[in-house]
């Protein structure tokens, strides 16, 4: 019986073919690793973009409701429902920290992020500023921040 090793000539074309196939497989494995890394990064960026979009929509809604009502408690009630929120401050500066889910729904039990809302006004009538900051629930990193102003004319004045 002939040995298979003796049937292949030393330094023949078969050895070069196997070397070329090993190099091609090595190249394809590196290329597939790079492509999989790119897909994973794009998935992460897509999720982060959706999260930022929901936060910006929530902040925009709060600013628009505040410009209509002029009251932080009414704004929170219209935005999140009639819950009792721990609003701190005086008549010139109010602040509240709300636990939210990823979809910006009020949830003290499942807080994935926090919305810190502060309202400052110099006078009861006039310009009020609303500052909204979203932070991560786990490490407190600032994710999104917006500042909005609303002119609230006096109730007896004609606009």
């Amino acid at each position: 019986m002939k040995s298979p090793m003796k049937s292949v000539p030393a330094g023949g074309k078969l050895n070069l073919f196997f070397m070329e196939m090993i190099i091609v497989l090595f190249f394809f494995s590196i290329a597939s690793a790079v492509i999989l890394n790119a897909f994973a990064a794009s998935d992460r960026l897509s999720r982060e973009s959706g999260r930022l979009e929901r936060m910006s929509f929530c902040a925009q809604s709060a600013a628009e409701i505040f410009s209509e009502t002029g009251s932080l408690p009414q704004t929170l009630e219209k935005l999140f429902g009639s819950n009792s929120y721990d609003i701190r401050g005086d008549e010139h500066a109010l602040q509240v920290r709300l636990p939210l889910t990823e979809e910006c729904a009020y949830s003290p039990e499942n807080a994935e992020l926090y919305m810190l809302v502060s309202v400052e006004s110099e006078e009861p009538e006039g310009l009020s500023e609303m500052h909204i900051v979203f932070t991560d629930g786990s490490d407190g990193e600032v994710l999104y921040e917006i500042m909005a102003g609303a002119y609230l004319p006096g109730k007896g004045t004609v606009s």
Side-chain angles (χ1 to χ4, degrees):
M1 178 172 180
K2 277 179 125 183
S3 170
M5 295 304 286
K6 290 183 180 177
S7 63
V8 177
K13 292 182 180 179
L14 196 54
N15 286 340
L16 291 176
F17 175 75
F18 284 135
M19 290 288 281
E20 186 178 348
M21 284 297 114
I22 289 172
I23 292 171
V24 167
L25 285 175
F26 180 70
F27 172 76
F28 280 127
S29 65
I30 290 175
S32 64
V34 169
I35 289 172
L36 286 176
N37 192 14
F39 278 125
S42 68
D43 181 53
R44 182 179 33 82
L45 287 175
S46 175
R47 286 187 213 179
E48 186 177 316
S49 171
R51 186 180 190 193
L52 286 173
E53 183 179 4
R54 288 188 296 274
M55 284 186 278
S56 71
F57 180 72
C58 185
Q60 178 185 358
S61 298
E64 288 177 2
I65 293 170
F66 179 74
S67 69
E68 176 188 326
T69 64
S71 165
L72 182 59
Q74 286 180 357
T75 300
L76 297 177
E77 183 178 334
K78 284 187 175 186
L79 192 60
F80 298 114
S82 59
N83 289 325
S84 59
Y85 306 107
D86 185 24
I87 300 175
R88 299 176 184 197
D90 56 13
E91 69 246 13
H92 296 292
L94 298 173
Q95 185 174 358
V96 64
R97 186 174 186 241
L98 302 168
L100 303 177
T101 63
E102 288 283 330
E103 289 76 30
C104 288
Y106 180 76
S107 176
E109 301 85 25
N110 301 329
E112 296 170 347
L113 51 100
Y114 289 95
M115 178 181 178
L116 178 67
V117 182
S118 57
V119 174
E120 294 180 14
S121 60
E122 295 297 323
E123 307 169 2
E125 305 167 355
L127 183 65
S128 292
E129 291 183 351
M130 177 181 261
H131 189 213
I132 300 172
V133 178
F134 285 92
T135 58
D136 195 4
S138 59
D139 61 1
E141 175 189 3
V142 174
L143 302 172
Y144 186 78
E145 187 172 358
I146 189 170
M147 193 158 207
Y151 177 72
L152 305 171
K155 297 186 192 253
T157 61
V158 178
S159 56

